[in-house]
Amino acid sequence: MSTPSPSPRPRSGKAKLVGVAVAVVLGAVIIGTAVQTLRARPQVVREPAVSAIERFGIGRAADPRLPAPPIELVALDGSKVSLAAARGQVVFVNFWATWCPPCRDEMPSMVALGEELAARYPGRFKMIAVTVDEDLAVVRSFFAAPPFSGPPGALSIVQDTDQAVTKAYYAQARGFTPDLKFPETYIVDKAGRLVAYVVGPRDWSDPAARAFLEALIRS
């Protein structure tokens, strides 16, 4: 006669409590580990969208509703250059000097942009380079050298020896008068208003510069 197999011993109440306690502890450990992992993971910070024009560094003038300060200056060839005569055109006004290395560095790409836009939009775009050099002979020598081999036809080069025009533009764009540093560029719209400015040198072959100016020209 075979002996019946012993049945499993029923768990006592104490054993059940121990099992529940172990489960609670394990759950707490898992949750704590997950929290620590999330804390340790680098947080992704979403930067606000920045346009190519903003990255290029074109800033909005303090009050773009105001007319730009007048320009009535003498060019290299002795002619008078007037901002008022350019009404209806987008005018690019660059303040520079031959003794300023960043000014010299940006001039080739600036001239190339001016020639391109003047050819594409005849009578609708004008570029003016306002030098604060005291001696125009130095300016002529600068443009006589490569890569220019003479004053660029699409660029009006004028002289502001007392820097009165320069100070007027720097102050109006910001709403206060800063220390004068070169180069800086100012954009006047077709209505003659000073709408934007750029501090420091730029590579004017950047598509963002062309896009900004073309939008003003076409508006």
Side-chain angles (χ1 to χ4, degrees):
M1 187 172 184
S2 60
T3 305
S5 300
S7 300
R9 180 181 299 176
R11 297 177 67 184
S12 67
K14 182 177 180 181
K16 290 180 180 180
L17 288 175
V18 171
V20 170
V22 170
V24 170
V25 171
L26 285 174
V29 170
I30 292 170
I31 292 172
T33 301
V35 170
Q36 291 298 324
T37 300
L38 288 173
R39 287 177 177 171
R41 184 179 300 168
Q43 297 298 311
V44 177
V45 178
R46 295 190 178 277
E47 297 289 342
V50 178
S51 70
I53 289 173
E54 290 172 316
R55 285 196 297 272
F56 183 77
I58 298 177
R60 183 175 180 270
D63 189 345
R65 300 168 300 177
L66 296 177
I71 295 176
E72 297 284 346
L73 295 172
V74 178
L76 281 182
D77 61 4
S79 64
K80 295 286 184 66
V81 174
S82 168
L83 180 66
R87 182 64 64 91
Q89 301 181 65
V90 171
V91 184
F92 179 113
V93 185
N94 178 260
F95 293 91
W96 72 293
T98 58
W99 43 259
C100 161
C103 302
R104 297 197 303 267
D105 291 343
E106 79 166 351
M107 190 62 71
S109 66
M110 191 186 91
V111 169
L113 175 62
E115 291 176 337
E116 178 185 342
L117 292 178
R120 184 176 297 180
Y121 304 99
R124 300 169 65 185
F125 177 80
K126 184 176 183 63
M127 181 174 281
I128 301 174
V130 182
T131 179
V132 296
D133 281 284
E134 295 183 358
D135 186 356
L136 280 181
V138 176
V139 179
R140 291 189 183 93
S141 296
F142 172 78
F143 283 107
F148 304 108
S149 299
L155 181 66
S156 294
I157 305 162
V158 298
Q159 185 182 34
D160 182 30
T161 51
D162 64 2
Q163 302 184 10
V165 174
T166 306
K167 292 173 183 175
Y169 273 78
Y170 280 47
Q172 182 169 315
R174 295 168 170 83
F176 64 91
T177 303
D179 293 335
L180 299 186
K181 296 180 181 180
F182 302 94
E184 288 199 4
T185 297
Y186 295 79
I187 309 301
V188 180
D189 70 6
K190 292 185 290 186
R193 298 170 299 200
L194 176 55
V195 294
Y197 69 112
V198 177
V199 177
R202 292 294 185 277
D203 177 0
W204 292 101
S205 65
D206 191 308
R210 186 183 299 103
F212 176 78
L213 293 168
E214 287 189 323
L216 285 178
I217 293 168
R218 294 170 179 168
S219 64

